[in-house]
Amino acid sequence: MYASCIRAAALAALFGLAAGAHAQSLTIALASEPTAMDPHYHQATPNNAMASQIFETLVAQDAKMSLIPGLAASWQALDDTTWEFKLREGVKFSNGEPLTPQDVIFTFCRAMNNEEAIAGSYAAVVQKFAAIETPDAHTLRIKTLKPYPLLPNDLTRTGILWSGIVEHGPITFDLDRKCGVTGAWPTVADFNNGKNTIGTGPYKLKSYVKGTAIELTRNENYWGDKPEWRDVRFVPVPNAGPRLTGLLAGDFDVIESPAARDVQRIKNTPGFGYVVTPSVRVVYFQFDVGRDQSPMVKAANGKNPLQDVRVRRAMSMAIDRKTIVDRIMDGMATPANQFLPDGMFGTLPNPPVLEYDPEGAKKLLAEAGYPDGFEITVSATNDRYINDGQIAQAVAQYLSRVGIKARVDAMTRSVYFPKRAKREFSFAMGGWSSETGEASSFLQYWVTSYAPELGMGTSNYGRYSNPELDQVFRQAVATVDEAKREKLLQQALTITLADLPSIPLHFESSIWAFRKGLTYEGRADQYTLASSVKSAR
């Protein structure tokens, strides 16, 4: 009897410890895996979301993308070209070292000296700086070359690094002299293996095995509220079916992007919950208009038909956005008539509707000199955006119905993005979450003329160029008065939608599903953050 009680007590203690250990850990299945742990490598949502759990930015955003204090407790514009940021006191990196203004300056310098970065989006911000002053140990004054009203918005994406990851002398914002860095600039590999993955965020990197798992552990030096979960494991599961199966089997606690058609099943299965949140991510296709000979389009007259705006409009008219939303996205998306959801800053209050009109499309093609169409490859990812492969197939079918002989080449994003950056496509799928929460973001990177020295057009792989648009946009982003800036952005959008260097399809809605006992605050930026997973109260 006594021995039985001892065994029972031991088993109870064992199960109690196991339950406690489980309660401290979290397993999340990702629909799209980050391509690196380097926070300055690629401005993509999976990368930014993962980086933000390890590295923090001067200015942060809440779940609705409103600006909130980050490593800067406050900020203000001193004049049209000077911003002052007050660093939060008491912040330490995960190795225990204190945050200093020199770490911030080093971060900006490294963004300008990262040869492995894709598209140069991080450098585009720093290129607008004229000087950085540090009047005291908690103040940074950033002087810009021109008025830069969106600087706080743009700083929400630049994760702050510890300057100790390189050899250096006194650090100053002197790009010509490497800012005082005497050693080699950090590489992507040194972030992936954990050597340089030292941030101020709520978690620190335990391991990163590409294609297998990313493991984080709680940063006990974190200045803010400690996250509930001590250990977090992110598992890449590109296919929605296995993600849901893993959730229902208990292998995962939270999953990203279950298929919209499975939402009703989750709702009707006891022990599970879900949240659906509209996002600012627009899915679109970009045209190659900058070359007379484009690699994946072939016309009988030997020209590049995509250079004719009538052809671009015809291809837009050939696509039935509503049917794609209803049948492929199962209603979990919104047809897009512009590149940011209606009502956000700088968008058109009444954008022209991008109608589905296949007969009109045929007439425009004939008018442009292509009555028999032409051949084109629809290039897309098959593991990045929600139902991306199916969307590409549907778009190809719609184009074929108006006489354009379209084939699909869908590939994994690890292959796709480098190819797109090398301009190997003619008609390329993209997805862009306007992380500044206003209209300039898409225009700056994807539509304005390619001018990397100005931080503009860095993702304009189609090399579209419109001097009128450039002039209006550059005036907009240098205009401090919000009402005037909004009107200029609307003017730039009007020009873009008339010329269609890219065609928007829809805005994704984001879905997260989770086991009983958990909640998740859905985010408009589509970030999946372990610290936002809470035990239900």
Side-chain angles (χ1 to χ4, degrees):
M1 178 77 173
Y2 180 74
S4 297
C5 290
I6 291 293
R7 285 195 297 271
L11 285 172
L14 179 62
F15 284 119
L17 286 172
H22 179 72
Q24 288 286 300
S25 63
L26 191 71
T27 302
I28 299 174
L30 299 177
S32 187
E33 180 186 19
T35 54
M37 293 295 102
D38 183 342
H40 307 151
Y41 173 65
H42 187 192
Q43 190 169 302
T45 295
N47 291 45
N48 289 354
M50 185 60 65
S52 70
Q53 302 179 92
I54 301 169
F55 303 93
E56 294 180 295
T57 54
L58 288 180
V59 182
Q61 289 177 312
D62 64 15
K64 295 181 179 179
M65 300 187 70
S66 298
L67 299 186
I68 57 175
L71 292 179
S74 64
W75 57 90
Q76 64 175 329
L78 300 183
D79 56 48
D80 283 358
T81 57
T82 307
W83 284 90
E84 182 177 84
F85 296 84
K86 292 289 186 179
L87 294 187
R88 190 182 297 276
E89 297 188 26
V91 176
K92 293 182 179 180
F93 287 93
S94 58
N95 62 357
E97 293 293 328
L99 171 71
T100 70
Q102 283 65 44
D103 297 307
V104 181
I105 294 174
F106 164 70
T107 296
F108 294 144
C109 293
R110 192 271 172 156
M112 291 292 293
N113 290 276
N114 184 11
E115 294 181 356
E116 297 172 288
I118 291 180
S121 300
Y122 300 98
V125 175
V126 185
Q127 284 170 335
K128 299 179 176 71
F129 295 179
I132 302 178
E133 299 172 353
T134 56
D136 59 56
H138 292 94
T139 303
L140 283 130
R141 288 188 187 143
I142 299 177
K143 293 184 176 294
T144 57
L145 296 169
K146 295 179 180 179
Y148 193 178
L150 293 175
L151 178 59
N153 302 70
D154 284 344
L155 289 181
T156 60
R157 302 187 301 278
T158 306
I160 303 302
L161 310 176
W162 178 50
S163 58
I165 62 176
V166 297
E167 296 178 1
H168 63 81
I171 291 178
T172 59
F173 190 70
D174 185 346
L175 295 172
D176 291 337
R177 292 176 174 79
K178 296 181 63 177
C179 301
V181 172
T182 56
W185 292 101
T187 65
V188 173
D190 283 337
F191 285 95
N192 290 346
N193 64 28
K195 176 185 174 183
N196 290 337
T197 320
I198 301 168
T200 62
Y203 285 97
K204 54 185 181 180
L205 181 66
K206 186 176 180 181
S207 67
Y208 169 49
V209 181
K210 192 171 185 178
T212 301
I214 300 166
E215 294 185 340
L216 306 182
T217 187
R218 189 163 53 207
N219 175 14
E220 299 300 340
N221 287 319
Y222 185 51
W223 59 268
D225 294 335
K226 298 293 190 298
E228 182 173 347
W229 316 102
R230 183 190 63 210
D231 298 299
V232 184
R233 180 178 173 86
F234 292 90
V235 181
V237 186
N239 191 289
R243 282 199 305 278
L244 179 60
T245 299
L247 175 69
L248 299 179
D251 297 329
F252 309 131
D253 300 301
V254 180
I255 63 171
E256 287 183 330
S257 304
R261 63 180 177 273
D262 290 328
V263 167
Q264 196 62 36
R265 179 183 177 188
I266 297 168
K267 184 177 181 180
N268 295 333
T269 303
F272 298 93
Y274 69 94
V275 62
V276 179
T277 303
S279 82
V280 295
R281 177 174 300 285
V282 63
V283 173
Y284 60 92
F285 277 88
Q286 185 180 60
F287 295 104
D288 178 14
V289 301
R291 292 179 283 192
D292 293 337
Q293 300 292 323
S294 189
M296 292 190 176
V297 62
K298 182 180 179 181
N301 61 8
K303 297 180 180 179
N304 175 6
L306 305 181
Q307 292 183 323
D308 192 318
V309 66
R310 293 170 295 183
V311 171
R312 301 197 295 273
R313 290 174 183 166
M315 291 175 70
S316 175
M317 293 163 66
I319 301 169
D320 188 345
R321 292 163 173 80
K322 187 176 185 303
T323 297
I324 288 176
V325 165
D326 290 343
R327 296 185 182 177
I328 296 179
M329 304 301 290
D330 292 285
M332 298 293 179
T334 305
N337 293 306
Q338 53 185 325
F339 297 99
L340 203 66
D342 297 354
M344 299 196 78
F345 186 88
T347 58
L348 298 176
N350 296 294
V353 177
L354 298 177
E355 298 280 4
Y356 172 54
D357 183 1
E359 292 306 314
K362 292 177 184 177
K363 290 178 182 178
L364 270 181
L365 287 172
E367 182 183 319
Y370 302 97
D372 299 320
F374 49 86
E375 297 178 22
I376 196 167
T377 296
V378 178
S379 302
T381 54
N382 57 18
D383 62 352
R384 173 59 192 96
Y385 311 110
I386 300 172
N387 300 327
D388 44 7
Q390 294 169 263
I391 292 167
Q393 291 289 348
V395 167
Q397 290 174 19
Y398 282 126
L399 294 178
S400 297
R401 291 176 188 175
V402 299
I404 298 172
K405 303 171 186 64
R407 62 177 290 271
V408 174
D409 185 15
M411 63 201 78
T412 181
R413 60 202 170 84
S414 62
V415 174
Y416 180 83
F417 289 129
K419 282 179 171 287
R420 187 180 67 177
K422 295 175 184 175
R423 304 184 63 212
E424 295 183 14
F425 304 140
S426 298
F427 186 56
M429 174 182 280
W432 184 255
S433 179
S434 186
E435 294 176 336
T436 59
E438 47 74 54
S440 72
S441 176
F442 186 88
L443 295 173
Q444 173 173 336
Y445 296 114
W446 296 92
V447 179
T448 56
S449 298
Y450 181 67
E453 72 282 0
L454 300 176
M456 294 189 181
T458 52
S459 296
N460 183 355
Y461 305 118
R463 293 298 190 268
Y464 169 76
S465 183
N466 184 327
E468 180 189 5
L469 170 68
D470 292 341
Q471 181 180 4
V472 173
F473 180 79
R474 292 176 188 181
Q475 185 180 351
V477 294
T479 299
V480 176
D481 183 284
E482 288 204 352
K484 292 180 180 178
R485 184 167 76 253
E486 184 172 36
K487 288 183 179 180
L488 287 166
L489 287 173
Q490 290 171 345
Q491 185 180 345
L493 268 175
T494 299
I495 295 170
T496 302
L497 291 170
D499 231 8
L500 288 180
S502 294
I503 52 174
L505 293 189
H506 58 258
F507 300 103
E508 293 181 344
S509 288
S510 302
I511 310 172
W512 292 267
F514 35 82
R515 63 170 172 79
K516 183 179 180 180
L518 298 178
T519 62
Y520 188 75
E521 181 183 24
R523 296 182 58 92
D525 56 18
Q526 299 187 304
Y527 285 12
T528 299
L529 305 179
S531 56
S532 292
V533 180
K534 308 288 186 182
S535 294
R537 304 299 181 190

